[in-house]
């Protein structure tokens, strides 16, 4: 102290001597003296260059601050390391991953761990420790019963006081007792012979006691009275807060500038992202709150609130213009509050800033503050604030004119009240009672981003364009990008690109988010080796946009610096939310759903008994290195001279994309300074196994590579729905079964459309991720979907959300309500551990609620069933388990595993103090989960490629490994069978080569006939419309053959696009059979294409006056008209001889009707009769003739129907029934044109031959596959005349075949009939008729307008539509007749190919006008006669001839000629070199 005072006097003397003009002491001498004396006294002194800038002086001052001088602010975000493979080798040589080194938990520790309660309440042992040391454990209240309402002093009386009557009440018995004691004591002393001195001693004792007791009684009485009066006063009166107002008067000048600066920085960040396009910029030019601080007028407290709640009402005011309590000097120095917003209009150099001024603000109100307490630190859980009444607000706003000429818009009539109402309307729902504004204090102060994380944001920085250096003489920049929130501390950084204003980074950074109210900032810098890196500008993305849409791709963010554009950065921003458990009605929170991806907080807390023999002095300087997949992710602080270090910064957050494969490691090193730090011990374990150890309470691990030493490692896990990221598994967990959801219909749905009705569909959500959806029924509030979806399930804790949506063309689809299905209601396990089948498909009719709450509106009718998967041996997992077992055995042999005996005799007691924990008790005790109590595991099935055909239904698990793409910005989709929407969509491939390592699955109903499609698309269409301009390439093949090729081994597939580009994708497949018997309605035999030949009718009733009718037929499928024949004039026995084809999604559920009508010109058609057609009687590929009695007066119609099994893709209902258009009706032709057909055997050659080809294709199986019980004669034509006779007046046939025919029940099968045909479902041709060469000659055209320039177009009709094959010369028709010479052409086709003739009026410069069109077939009878085809008002005459190919017979008879090769089956030997294989990546 004396030295400090002497130094201060010496400094003052030097300063005064330097000011004396007669002294030889200069100012520099005085400065040196002051610096030296300050340093001698222990202070800090700095010398600055007077010409230096303030920034340089601040940097010099910061460089001399001691470490830890400033407290680091913990932000609510953290950067994440990931387990994605970057192709680099491991940095450390670690032991194989093993859980064998986990030390067992002692019974004491286990009991303590199990005895802890939720909500911060402590176990009995822990409570006793608190009582022993500090008196009581943390608790709410005083530990006794709650104070009763209206309690008084009478409630505190003693037992004696309660027994005394009022007249005896008081402390008189105390006085009596003292008198009696004095008398007896005096008598006793007199008896003993004591003197007078003893009497005085007794009197002194009694007097002192009496005085003390009376003082205590008065004091206690006074305290009780004052407390009760104060308590009553708190409930009725208010308290003054002048003490805090006095504090604010002195504190406000210090804090106001800092507060205003913080507000300006935050608001400017928001304004920069919200500037309208027609403005150049928005920024705060000034923000001043004034020199008068806010005041707290009074406070009212509610002492009878709950023990964990503090409730107060605060009356506050902020009236800077009230100067009644100011002194004259304060008024003179007063600064009024003012906010100046600069609105810059124009662009760049041609812009003008306009100031909007708001000043003289005043604010007052009554606020209720509710503080919720908690036992854990920081002991305040949250603070809730609300206004009990509308606050009073006043201000002066000058939008134009600035400070001098500004006009207060509040003077305009009605405007002031309108603005105030807008303010109240916006703030009211937030914090006007009963609404409260919560401040989560505990979360804000926890500093742990994992505990309060709401999700992960993936920022993909592709590159930048047009970056400009602010310094024009600096040349091209060396840019790199820094990711942060609100331009605070850096969270991630890209690599540096040298001398490139258009850099390409293509890097993805992952950041934990705790709030979406911040702004994501990308700060771009110019790297320099010598000087400080120069900031090029900042790009900003508002995270609140992720609330509406979690994916924002191809964002072009403008880089701004000093209000000017400095380039553009291209990014993708995707948000992946944390999967939380659902809160049930009783307040408990369910466990979160299972996920293989998530956020993990890996922590090393401490180590004990490290091997000190590796140090010369026996004491180490240890520090820990945390590893993920062998890569260093974090280094702890270095402890000094200890073998039992404790690290307070040993945590690191990581993003795990594959929990089963991720390896967590620890290496403990000894800090040696200049030399290489030696390793003291190391350990490695898989993340999934470590979580299992954590659930058992095992946190200590024996270090490998050391004689002694153990470390305490913990792992916190939060599942995240990570999808669409290349390199991640997408959170895939192997399913335990599939849930079958049959959506039948919905009734009385909400109508959210202004015009029309809702376009309804159902989607199935699992953990918030869409797993499937139905087709859309447009403009329908009572949709009948009748659609079945299969959803893989992973746990009994999962819940499915069935949500009915309204499809929107623009914007997001809107919810119409949802219901929840708990997996536990349908999934159960047997005694042997196997999951049981729940096949009871009971109809459920549940009301649809918005968000699961409120009054239901609309009903969803559906059924639910569960079918478990078989437990199949996975070769990869089997190899990993074997390697782990070998590692455990090797570690046990080397002594790295905790021994099973009590060799060291260590014992622990689990307490809250990490330092006092001893992790081991070497008595070999287990955690109570031994093998004796474990559930027996079911036997596993070893599946080979040859066994696949035994299991009809199952899950195909496909792993997308990598791809080499011909296009960028595309994605891979997997489509199975008749599914309209893809079963899996990969992440976007931003570059030509992508490492995916993604996993997905799809359900296969019939493996033997299933078709799998792999397609490359530019973007995914939520409506399921496969647009050709978006599909780049597509590859389709047989699912069974594909699965055989790719089962458990990576295989490279090649997709060729129309431009010649080749995309190679490496995949690996697995198969999990499902224990289920497929319902007949879901078989391929129940769906397909139906060909209906409308032959003739007889005995129709007469509807016209001439005793005839003009009959035509209409066919309806499921209430929609699908075909109408041509009318036959004046006949009661018409012969139409027409046919059509229509897709049938379900034969069992189909309602197929035919009706006959009488055509009348200009009048409504008359109904002649109708009948239902039973499609369940059809057998695949066998023509059946129906003779149907009509429901009218009389008549019979004769039809021939052939059903070809195939998958039918459903589409949106409302515009068309099925995908695409129906086949164009045609005529059945024979050798004699126009003659009616009387029997099946006389069907035209194309029909017979086509059926024969298909029949041979279906039966062309190997011998090993011919013994499956399908006994069908292998003939080359359609067999038998299956004619059904009914009464003329019957309504419909009974469906029984004629005698002598053996008909198999339509859906009793061991294998699908469609399983025996690959050609029928794989090719683009509807039938397999003879192929050959057709020759056409266009002869003439007549009946068209004389001025027409006639041109004839010929088109070939196929499965993909009409394709033009020829067009004639254009010839003028002055007389209406046109003739061509040598207008012939040839083409290759089949005998039953249909053609179309179009006649057009050709125009040289404009578009051609259509004159008519007609259909025809090629003449395969060889007559060579001219054929007249009606086309519009005229007709076209042409000649055709068909010559069959010579190889047709052999190809038709031999099944080997059918092109049945799968897209993965082996090619010819000369092409084997084209196949590419790649090994599974490590």
């Amino acid at each position: 102290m004396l030295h400090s005072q002497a130094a201060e006097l010496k400094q003052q003397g030097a300063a005064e001597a330097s000011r004396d003009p007669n002294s030889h002491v200069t100012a520099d001498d005085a400065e040196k003296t002051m610096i030296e004396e300050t340093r001698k006294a222990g202070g800090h002194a700095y010398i600055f260059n007077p010409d230096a800038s303030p920034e340089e002086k601040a940097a010099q001052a910061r460089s001399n601050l001691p470490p830890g001088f400033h407290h680091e602010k913990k932000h609510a975000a953290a950067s994440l390391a990931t387990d994605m493979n970057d192709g680099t080798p491991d940095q450390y040589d670690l032991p194989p991953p093993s859980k064998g080194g986990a030390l067992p938990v002692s019974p004491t520790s286990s009991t303590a761990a199990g005895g802890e309660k939720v909500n911060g309440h402590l176990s009995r042992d822990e409570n006793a420790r608190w009582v022993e040391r500090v008196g009581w454990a943390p608790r709410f209240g005083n530990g006794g019963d709650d104070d009763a309402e209206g309690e008084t002093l009478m409630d505190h009386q003693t037992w004696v006081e309660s027994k005394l009557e009022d007249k005896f009440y008081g402390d008189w018995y105390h006085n009596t007792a003292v008198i009696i004691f004095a008398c007896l004591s005096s008598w006793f002393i007199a008896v003993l012979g004591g003197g007078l001195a003893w009497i005085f001693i007794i009197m002194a004792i009694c007097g002192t006691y009496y005085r003390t007791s009376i003082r205590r009684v008065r004091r206690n009485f006074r305290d009780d009275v004052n407390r009760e009066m104060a308590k009553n006063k708190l409930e009725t009166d208010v308290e003054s807060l002048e003490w805090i107002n006095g504090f604010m008067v002195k504190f406000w000048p210090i804090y106001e500038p800092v507060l205003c600066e913080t507000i300006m920085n935050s608001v400017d960040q928001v304004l920069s992202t919200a500037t309208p396009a027609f403005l150049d910029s928005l920024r705060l030019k000034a923000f001043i709150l004034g020199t008068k601080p806010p005041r707290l007028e009074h406070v009212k407290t509610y002492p009878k609130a709950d023990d964990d709640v503090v409730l107060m009402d605060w009356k506050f005011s902020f009236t800077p213009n009230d100067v009644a309590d100011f002194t004259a000097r304060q008024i003179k120095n007063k600064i009024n509050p003012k906010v100046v917003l600069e609105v810059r209009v124009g662009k760049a150099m041609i812009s003008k800033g306009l100031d909007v001024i708001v000043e003289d603000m005043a604010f007052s109100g009554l606020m209720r503050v509710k503080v919720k307490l908690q036992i854990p630190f920081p002991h305040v859980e949250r603070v809730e604030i609300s206004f009990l009444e509308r606050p009073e607000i006043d201000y002066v706003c000058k939008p134009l004119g600035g400070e001098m000429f500004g006009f207060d818009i509040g003077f305009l009539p009605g405007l002031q009240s309108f603005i105030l109402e807008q303010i109240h309307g916006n703030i009211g729902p937030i914090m006007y009672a009963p609404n409260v504004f919560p401040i989560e204090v505990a979360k804000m102060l926890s500093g742990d981003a994992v505990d309060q994380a709401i999700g992960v944001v993936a920022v993909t920085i592709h590159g930048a364009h047009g970056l400009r250096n602010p310094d024009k003489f600096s040349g091209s920049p060396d840019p790199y990008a820094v990711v942060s929130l609100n331009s605070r501390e850096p969270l991630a950084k890209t690599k540096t690109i040298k001398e490139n204003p258009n850099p390409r980074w293509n890097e993805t950074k992952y950041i934990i988010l705790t709030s979406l109210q911040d702004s994501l900032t990308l700060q771009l810098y110019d790297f320099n080796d010598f000087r400080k890196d120069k900031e090029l500008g900042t790009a900003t993305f508002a995270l609140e946009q992720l609330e509406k849409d979690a994916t924002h791709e191809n964002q072009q963010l403008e880089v701004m610096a000093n209000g000017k554009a400095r380039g553009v950065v291209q990014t993708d921003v995707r948000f992946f939310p944390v999967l939380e458990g659902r809160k049930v009605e009783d307040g408990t929170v369910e466990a979160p759903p299972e996920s293989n991806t998530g956020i993990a907080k890996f922590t090393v807390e401490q180590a004990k008994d490290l091997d000190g023999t590796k140090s010369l002095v026996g004491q180490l300087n240890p520090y820990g290195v945390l590893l993920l997949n062998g890569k260093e992710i974090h280094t702890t602080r270095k402890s000094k001279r200890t073998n039992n270090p404790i690290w307070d910064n040993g945590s690191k957050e990581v993003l795990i994309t594959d929990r089963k494969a991720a390896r967590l490691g620890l290496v403990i090193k000894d800090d040696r300074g200049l030399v290489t730090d030696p390793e003291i011990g190391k350990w490695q374990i898989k993340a999934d196994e470590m979580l299992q150890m954590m659930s058992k309470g095992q946190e200590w691990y024996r270090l490998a590579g050391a004689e002694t030493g153990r470390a305490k490692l913990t792992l916190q896990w939060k599942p995240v729905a990570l999808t669409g990221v290349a390199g991640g598994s997408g959170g895939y967990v192997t399913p335990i079964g599939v849930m079958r959801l049959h959506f039948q219909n919905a009734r009385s749905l909400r109508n959210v459309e202004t015009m029309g009705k809702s376009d309804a569909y159902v989607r199935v959500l699992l953990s918030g991720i869409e797993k499937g959806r139905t087709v859309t029924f447009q403009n329908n509030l009572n949709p009948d979907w009748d659609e079945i979806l299969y959803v893989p399930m992973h746990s009994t804790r999962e819940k499915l959300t069935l949500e009915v949506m309204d499809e929107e063309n623009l914007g997001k689809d809107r919810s119409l309500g949802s219901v929840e299905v708990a997996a536990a209601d349908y999934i159960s396990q047997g005694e042997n551990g196997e999951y049981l089948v729940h096949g009871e498909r009971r109809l459920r009719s549940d009301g649809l609620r918005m968000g699961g709450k409120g009054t239901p509106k609309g009903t969803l009718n559906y059924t639910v069933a569960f079918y478990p998967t078989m437990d199949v041996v996975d070769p990869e997992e089997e190899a990993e388990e074997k390697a782990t077992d070998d590692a455990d055995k090797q570690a046990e042999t080397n002594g790295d595993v905790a021994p099973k005996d009590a060799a060291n005799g260590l014992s622990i007691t689990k307490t809250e103090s990490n330092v006092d924990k001893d992790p081991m008790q070497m008595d070999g005790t287990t955690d109570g989960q031994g093998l004796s109590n474990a559930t027996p595991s079911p036997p596993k099935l070893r599946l080979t490629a040859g066994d696949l055909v035994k299991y009809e239904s199952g899950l195909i698990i496909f792993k997308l490994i990598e791809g080499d793409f011909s296009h960028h910005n595309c994605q891979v989709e997997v489509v199975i069978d008749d599914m309209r929407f893809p079963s899996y969509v990969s992440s976007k491939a931003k570059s030509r080569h992508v490492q995916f390592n993604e996993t997905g699955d799809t359900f296969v109903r019939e493996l033997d006939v299933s078709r799998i499609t792999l397609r490359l698309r530019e973007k995914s269409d939520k409506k399921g419309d496969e647009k050709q301009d978006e599909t780049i390439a597509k590859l389709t093949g047989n699912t069974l053959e594909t699965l055989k090729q790719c089962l458990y081994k990576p295989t490279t597939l090649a997709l060729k696009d129309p431009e010649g580009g080749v995309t190679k994708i490496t995949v690996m497949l697995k198969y999990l059979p499902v224990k289920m018997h497929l319902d007949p309605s879901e078989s391929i035999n129940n769906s397909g294409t139906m060909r209906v030949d409308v032959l003739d009718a007889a005995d129709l009733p007469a509807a016209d006056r001439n005793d005839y009718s003009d009959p035509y037929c209409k066919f309806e499928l499921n209430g929609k008209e699908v075909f109408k024949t041509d009318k036959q004039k004046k006949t009661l026995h018409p012969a139409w001889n027409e046919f059509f084809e229509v897709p049938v999604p379900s034969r069992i559920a189909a309602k197929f009707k035919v009706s006959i009508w009488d055509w009348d010109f200009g009048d409504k058609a008359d109904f002649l009769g109708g009948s239902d057609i039973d499609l369940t009687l059809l057998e695949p590929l066998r023509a059946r003739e129906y003779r149907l009695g009509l429901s009218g007066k009389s008549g019979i119609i004769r039809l021939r129907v052939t059903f070809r099994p195939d998958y039918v893709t459903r589409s949106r209902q409302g515009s068309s029934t099925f995908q695409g258009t129906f086949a164009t009706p045609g005529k059945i032709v024979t050798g004699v044109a126009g003659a009616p057909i009387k029997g099946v055997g006389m069907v035209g050659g194309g029909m017979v031959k086509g059926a024969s080809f298909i029949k041979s294709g279906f039966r062309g199986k190997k011998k090993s596959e011919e013994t499956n019980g399908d006994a069908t004669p292998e003939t080359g034509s359609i067999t038998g005349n299956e004619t059904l006779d009914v009464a003329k007046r019957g309504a419909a046939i009974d469906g029984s075949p004629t005698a002598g025919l053996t008909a198999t029940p339509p859906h009793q099968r061991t294998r699908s009939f469609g399983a025996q045909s690959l050609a029928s479902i794989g090719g683009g041709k509807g039938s397999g008729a003879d192929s050959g060469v057709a020759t056409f000659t266009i002869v003439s055209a007549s009946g068209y307008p004389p001025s027409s320039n006639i041109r004839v177009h010929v088109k070939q009709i196929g499965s993909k539509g009409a394709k033009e094959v020829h067009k004639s010369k254009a010839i003028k028709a002055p007389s209406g007749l046109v003739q061509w010479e040598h207008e012939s052409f040839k083409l290759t086709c089949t005998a039953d190919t249909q053609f179309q003739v179009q006649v057009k009026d050709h125009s040289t410069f404009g578009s051609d006008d259509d004159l008519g069109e007609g259909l025809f077939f090629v003449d395969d009878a060889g007559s060579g006669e001219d054929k007249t085809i009606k086309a519009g008002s005229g007709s076209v005459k042409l000649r055709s001839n068909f010559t069959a190919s010579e190889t047709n017979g052999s190809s038709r008879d031999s099944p080997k000629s059918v092109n049945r090769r799968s897209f993965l089956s082996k090619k010819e030997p000369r092409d084997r070199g084209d196949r590419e294989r790649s090994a599974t990546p490590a």
Side-chain angles (χ1 to χ4, degrees), residues 1303-1324:
T1304 305
H1307 293 294
Q1308 293 182 2
R1309 53 188 287 277
T1310 57
R1311 294 185 54 149
S1312 168
F1313 200 102
Q1316 304 174 34
S1317 172
L1318 297 176
S1320 65
I1321 62 175

Side-chain angles (χ1 to χ4, degrees), residues 746-802:
R747 293 294 178 262
S748 304
L749 295 178
R750 285 181 173 87
N751 189 10
V752 295
E753 298 289 347
T754 305
M755 300 179 62
K757 300 177 182 179
S758 300
D759 305 328
Y761 69 90
V762 184
R763 66 173 183 174
V764 183
L765 302 177
L766 178 61
S767 301
I769 301 175
E770 184 175 310
K771 292 295 183 180
R773 57 161 291 181
T774 66
V775 298
T776 302
F777 272 60
Q778 294 180 320
N779 201 33
N780 196 336
L781 299 181
N782 299 289
D784 295 298
W785 291 292
D786 192 21
E787 199 164 340
I788 298 173
L789 299 179
Y790 289 89
V791 179
M793 304 300 294
H794 315 89
S795 170
T796 57
R797 298 196 306 266
E798 293 179 325
K799 290 183 181 292
L800 293 176
T801 301
L802 315 180

